[in-house]
Amino acid sequence: GGAIAGFGGGAVLAAVAKDSIKAASDLSESVSKAKVVFGESSKEVLKFAENSATAFGQSRQQAIEAAGTFGNLFVSMKIGVKESAGMSTSLVKLASDLASFNNTDPTEALDALRSGLLGESEPLQRFGINLNEATLKTEAMALGLKIVSGTLNPAQKAQAAYSVILKQSTTAQGDFARTAGGLANQQRIANAQFEDAKTVLGEKLLPIAL
């Protein structure tokens, strides 16, 4: 019985070690991606994610990865790197506010925001944000963007969508901080802290694994 229990305990430890090493590897890849996408501005992005677990209920890896994904989209549209970094971190934080306000997971809000920037309006409707073509065109003109032949190009659409998203989400903005003491957000914080703890352990085990 003792031998079986010992084997079972060893198997659990091995599984924990494997999971932690993967978490550390994922973080390393996300940091690398952020550095490539944002260049010098990556310092601001990495600093932003340092306390993401308690600040907005996302693990450090999740926050950096999400910012990198948004940034890659903005930079590919020829939006400046520094501006892209600021826009990306704002959206990552907003995702947690939207999730808190609408009682859903930040991942769902992140996906909906990304879809909205790409011109897909439906995913954001559940969060009270309407990105129809007329709204985007009106916002683009208000931003002083030059519209050719009455059609927004992808970069203009993303910039207009970003501006509309911020304007139409004011009710939700700051909701995570306002309700951080509630059960739902306490659970989000605990989950994020657990992921961060796995990463710390994995970073110590990674050299051994390599």
Side-chain angles (χ1 to χ4, degrees):
I4 294 175
F7 175 78
V12 170
L13 287 174
V16 170
K18 182 178 179 181
D19 198 26
S20 298
I21 289 170
K22 183 182 183 305
S25 177
D26 288 346
L27 173 61
S28 178
E29 290 183 10
S30 295
V31 169
S32 178
K33 175 181 176 179
K35 288 180 177 178
V36 171
V37 170
F38 298 116
E40 275 296 309
S41 293
S42 64
K43 295 176 183 177
E44 300 167 23
V45 175
L46 299 181
K47 185 174 180 58
F48 161 80
E50 282 180 0
N51 301 307
S52 58
T54 53
F56 45 90
Q58 294 182 44
S59 71
R60 187 177 167 218
Q61 189 274 330
Q62 183 182 19
I64 295 171
E65 179 63 26
T69 298
F70 284 129
N72 193 42
L73 176 64
F74 291 136
V75 171
S76 71
M77 292 175 174
K78 310 302 180 187
I79 296 174
V81 173
K82 189 172 181 62
E83 185 180 2
S84 294
M87 292 167 70
S88 298
T89 51
S90 292
L91 288 173
V92 172
K93 187 175 185 300
L94 177 60
S96 286
D97 285 334
L98 290 173
S100 174
F101 193 71
N102 294 278
N103 195 29
T104 188
D105 189 270
T107 301
E108 292 183 35
L110 286 166
D111 289 342
L113 288 169
R114 183 173 179 276
S115 295
L117 295 171
L118 291 171
E120 301 170 30
S121 60
E122 188 175 344
L124 275 174
Q125 288 177 5
R126 63 174 294 199
F127 296 102
I129 297 171
N130 181 18
L131 294 179
N132 61 48
E133 198 69 29
T135 300
L136 291 178
K137 197 168 289 185
T138 299
E139 189 64 23
M141 289 189 288
L143 292 172
L145 302 178
K146 187 176 180 181
I147 305 173
V148 179
S149 303
T151 304
L152 298 176
N153 63 40
Q156 291 173 328
K157 186 170 287 188
Q159 287 172 297
Y162 174 79
S163 183
V164 171
I165 286 168
L166 293 185
K167 287 182 178 180
Q168 293 189 5
S169 63
T170 53
T171 304
Q173 288 171 26
D175 192 74
F176 186 91
R178 286 193 298 268
T179 60
L183 181 60
N185 282 337
Q186 281 295 304
Q187 188 61 54
R188 292 185 181 102
I189 290 171
N191 290 341
Q193 288 176 325
F194 179 65
E195 290 300 317
D196 285 345
K198 284 198 303 185
T199 300
V200 172
L201 175 60
E203 287 174 333
K204 294 176 181 178
L205 295 175
L206 194 55
I208 300 172
L210 294 174

